[in-house]
């Protein structure tokens, strides 16, 4: 069989697996990502990458399994990048969250300088939290994990995690109030 015919058959099998398993693949990505938009992006990236490697995947026996593994790998890549950015002091809050905070503080939402300063102040405030509290904030606000998932991951009770979050929110509110009063 010619290489082009093998690639065409591989593409057809991969596309058929995508059509058949799209919802379950998207559900997998959504459970592991921060938003439905990110999950859709991850899925599309995984499929596009697979389609670009058809010459290597011509003999692929389980295209559905390959796509599921590709989705998981893309999510793990996102987690590693986010962890690296956080370790470098960057905070990646959702745009909607920053908009809500900017409006609550009484700043002009169009003021890019205020948004940048607020992001810096939040990053500083989160970095100043005790590690147990910052871990809860980061897991929920940045990774989108619920208390149950976080409890399973860490082995810490849900009540303890909820208390840590309450303390963290109170400290963040005080830090941002101080930041506002400085201006």
């Amino acid at each position: 069989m010619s290489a082009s015919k093998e690639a065409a058959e591989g593409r057809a099998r991969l596309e058929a697996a995508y059509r058949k398993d799209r919802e379950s693949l998207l559900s997998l990505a959504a459970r592991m990502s921060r938003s439905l938009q990110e999950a859709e992006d991850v899925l599309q990236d995984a499929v596009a990458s697979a389609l670009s490697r058809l010459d290597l995947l011509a003999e692929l026996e389980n295209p559905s399994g390959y796509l599921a593994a590709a989705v998981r790998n893309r999510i793990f890549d996102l987690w590693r990048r986010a962890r690296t950015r956080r370790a470098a002091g960057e905070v990646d809050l959702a745009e909607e969250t920053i908009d809500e905070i900017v409006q609550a503080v009484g700043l002009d939402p169009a003021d890019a300088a205020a948004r940048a300063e607020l992001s810096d102040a939040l990053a500083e405030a989160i970095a100043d939290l005790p590690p147990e509290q910052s871990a809860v904030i980061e897991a929920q606000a940045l990774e989108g994990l619920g208390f149950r998932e976080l409890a399973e991951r860490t082995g810490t009770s849900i009540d303890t995690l909820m208390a840590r979050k309450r303390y963290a929110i109170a400290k963040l509110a005080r830090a941002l109030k101080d930041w506002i009063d400085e201006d």
Side-chain angles (χ1 to χ4, degrees), residues 129 133 137 163-175:
L129 290 172
Q133 293 174 12
I137 295 297
R164 288 178 181 171
K165 183 177 181 181
R166 274 193 315 274
Y167 295 134
I169 295 294
K171 288 177 184 176
L172 290 174
R174 281 193 305 273

Side-chain angles (χ1 to χ4, degrees), residues 2 9 22 25 37 83 111-112 130 150:
S2 73
E9 286 180 9
R22 183 185 185 288
L25 291 168
Q37 179 63 45
R83 192 175 323 129
D111 186 352
L150 189 55

Side-chain angles (χ1 to χ4, degrees), residues 6 12 29 46 78 91 93 97 109 114-115 120 134 137 139 147 163 169:
E6 285 179 4
L78 287 175
V91 176
L93 292 175
T97 303
R115 294 170 67 82
D120 291 345
S134 65
I137 295 297
F147 283 115
I169 295 294

Side-chain angles (χ1 to χ4, degrees), residues 121 170-183:
K171 288 177 184 176
L172 290 174
R174 281 193 305 273
L176 291 178
K177 183 177 180 339
D178 293 344
W179 174 77
I180 293 167
D181 292 342
E182 287 176 6
D183 290 345

Side-chain angles (χ1 to χ4, degrees), residues 112-161:
R115 294 170 67 82
E117 287 179 28
L118 179 60
S119 288
D120 291 345
L122 279 171
E124 242 178 77
I126 291 171
D128 288 342
L129 290 172
E132 314 81 41
Q133 293 174 12
S134 65
V136 173
I137 295 297
E138 290 173 356
Q140 289 202 322
L142 306 178
E143 294 179 38
L145 293 179
F147 283 115
R148 180 172 291 131
E149 293 168 300
L150 189 55
E152 289 171 2
R153 181 189 282 186
T154 64
T156 306
S157 77
I158 292 176
D159 289 338
T160 300
L161 293 171

